[in-house]
Amino acid sequence: MITYLDQVESIAQEGCTIVIKFDGERDKKNFYTVVLSGGQLKDDYFRKDGADLPLLLREMINFYKNY
């Protein structure tokens, strides 16, 4: 998880906004929400809900790297 957080911080330092939400009111399959916007994405964004935070972070990082 540390490696993902380092990469997330690096993306934020490039001008993006990242939101990682833990939602205790949701069921376990949608407990986490990850949102990436701004920076080089301009009007595009990444948003996904799920139960596996490392997987969501990996998908967000890959989205950004492949943008």
Side-chain angles (χ1 to χ4, degrees):
M1 185 73 108
I2 297 295
T3 302
Y4 291 135
L5 293 178
D6 291 341
Q7 292 178 59
V8 167
E9 185 175 353
S10 178
I11 292 169
Q13 290 174 350
E14 292 180 15
C16 288
T17 298
I18 300 165
V19 176
I20 301 170
K21 179 181 173 187
F22 297 71
D23 195 334
E25 293 183 0
R26 287 186 173 176
D27 60 25
K28 290 183 181 183
K29 73 177 190 170
N30 287 313
F31 185 73
Y32 303 105
T33 301
V34 175
V35 180
L36 169 68
S37 63
Q40 71 178 16
L41 301 178
K42 300 193 185 332
D43 292 332
D44 203 1
Y45 65 93
F46 174 92
R47 181 191 185 282
K48 191 162 186 183
D49 303 320
D52 185 342
L53 183 56
L55 175 63
L56 292 171
L57 292 175
R58 187 169 60 242
E59 289 178 1
M60 181 196 73
I61 291 164
N62 288 335
F63 174 86
Y64 183 76
K65 285 182 177 179
N66 294 317
Y67 195 79

